Amino acid sequence: MGLYGLLLLDTAMLCIATARHTFWRDETQAWLIARDSTSVLSLFHNLHFEPHPPLWYLVLYLITRLTWNPDWMKLPNLTFALVSASLMLSCRGLDLVTRIGIAFSYFFLFEYGIIDRNYMLGIMLLLTAALLLSKRDIGKSWMVPILLSLAALSSLPALILAVGIFVVYLIQE
């Protein structure tokens, strides 16, 4: 099975599981905060007691301006999971077994891929920045700091990893 076959399998697994997933309390809480905010400033005010950075809530805020159906929250998370899996499977710096193991791991498929939280957004941004950083021919791309800054706004683990990747970016020749 080639990489496209693996990506197709990953897509099928994520789509089926996402369609059958029932929201947990914390997923619904994020949706309600975004839905009930009357403006972006109101959203930031409503996030005062939330433990997570604002990027995921901003994504949800944009969706809630289009629909009040919380099932639409599944779409961006599914997209982030599929992009992350395709980035991971196409990463030539790792051997195939490692790439498959990460792309089909518990965290990539279930914890971050199916449960609609802020983590998969950060993973996608970090993977994109790391892959850009690994390209020798692009040099110091301005996209790397932007992607790392956005990743830092998605979750605390992504913030920690973004700082580490940024240090590598700064010392890279």
Side-chain angles (χ1 to χ4, degrees):
M1 180 181 287
L3 291 181
Y4 291 115
L6 289 169
L7 188 56
L8 185 62
L9 176 63
D10 188 74
T11 302
M13 291 171 68
L14 279 169
C15 286
I16 291 169
T18 297
R20 301 174 61 86
H21 173 66
T22 304
F23 291 118
W24 294 5
R25 184 201 55 78
D26 59 332
E27 296 170 282
T28 307
Q29 169 81 4
W31 176 263
L32 292 174
I33 288 171
R35 186 197 70 184
D36 294 341
S37 297
T38 56
S39 67
V40 174
L41 289 175
S42 170
L43 175 68
F44 285 120
H45 175 74
N46 293 339
L47 292 179
H48 182 70
F49 294 108
E50 289 300 306
H52 299 289
L55 191 59
W56 176 245
Y57 295 96
L58 286 170
V59 170
L60 294 180
Y61 178 81
L62 293 174
I63 294 171
T64 60
R65 301 309 106 177
L66 302 173
T67 179
W68 278 44
N69 184 353
D71 281 333
W72 282 89
M73 177 171 54
K74 296 177 180 181
L75 187 60
N77 198 62
L78 178 64
T79 304
F80 301 146
L82 293 175
V83 169
S84 297
S86 66
L87 289 171
M88 181 53 64
L89 289 171
S90 65
C91 179
R92 301 283 182 205
L94 300 171
D95 63 279
L96 183 60
V97 173
T98 303
R99 290 184 276 162
I100 292 171
I102 293 172
F104 288 90
S105 68
Y106 165 79
F107 285 101
F108 255 64
L109 280 179
F110 177 71
E111 193 69 34
Y112 302 157
I114 296 168
I115 301 172
D116 300 311
R117 293 187 182 131
N118 53 334
Y119 300 113
M120 190 51 82
L121 174 58
I123 289 172
M124 180 193 70
L125 293 166
L126 288 170
L127 282 173
T128 305
L131 287 174
L132 279 175
L133 193 58
S134 70
K135 304 276 187 211
R136 298 279 182 227
D137 55 342
I138 65 165
K140 293 252 186 194
S141 171
W142 56 272
M143 283 298 296
V144 173
I146 291 173
L147 290 167
L148 293 175
S149 298
L150 289 172
L153 290 173
S154 67
S155 67
L156 181 60
L159 168 66
I160 295 167
L161 291 170
V163 169
I165 295 171
F166 187 69
V167 169
V168 171
Y169 171 81
L170 289 176
I171 63 174
Q172 184 184 40
E173 295 183 87

